[in-house]
Amino acid sequence: GQSLEQPSEVTAVEGAIVQINCTYQTSGFYGLSWYQQHDGGAPTFLSYNALDGLEETGRFSSFLSRSDSYGYLLLQELQMKDSASYFCAVRDIGTYKYIFGTGTRLKVLA
Amino acid sequence: DTEVTQTPKHLVMGMTNKKSLKCEQHMGHRAMYWYKQKAKKPPELMFVYSYEKLSINESVPSRFSPECPNSSLLNLHLHALQPEDSALYLCASRQDSATSGNTIYFGEGSWLTVV
């Protein structure tokens, strides 16, 4: 089976940098994805790491280390609108299962 | 264009009713998913269709019945639901290719309340 663990909640102030971690146990996966979900909304795709290393997309960056079974999402120059839940996710090799992490609720304070 | 359309956005149904949730995508994606999400929880996989065939059923109760009429449409038929089935139901799709397609795209979801 697969499990992806995230901290349940993170709080930071506007303008700060925050890192949301994802540690996983899986027999094999294609890559690590990150999704953002605002209250009352649907998850939207943020970033994807197929290979180890850092991927940067504007204020958001994502990192993957397969040897450490670990990844993170880095949010810079935090804005109030970044307050949301963030999920890491993987697609299992050999099946079509797309599994989500436990989720992290980010609160950005003024 | 990465659009997945779900209808209805909100549905209230009694425990004896029969209703359906609908999902449509025109991105040529060949894998389609149904997820259930409760408040403050991650999406929970229910069903996966690949090339219009059911490939995964995550031991979902038979009161939920999926259907994939064609490559663009996915339905979820609901019958004799329980109040605990109240949740956000999310449809998603994914391009199925060997070199890409490791990202799924969600619709806005259908909020279901069972009374």
Side-chain angles (χ1 to χ4, degrees), chain B residues 45-87:
Chain B
L45 184 64
M46 299 176 71
F47 302 104
V48 182
Y49 273 83
S50 175
Y51 292 84
E52 297 104 69
K53 292 186 179 179
L54 183 65
S55 59
I56 294 175
N57 176 342
E58 291 286 88
S59 303
V60 179
S62 59
R63 58 185 184 270
F64 295 92
S65 176
E67 179 196 20
C68 189
N70 59 55
S71 60
S72 300
L73 294 174
L74 186 66
N75 299 322
L76 186 63
H77 303 298
L78 315 171
H79 175 54
L81 294 193
Q82 304 297 309
E84 58 264 29
D85 297 322
S86 298

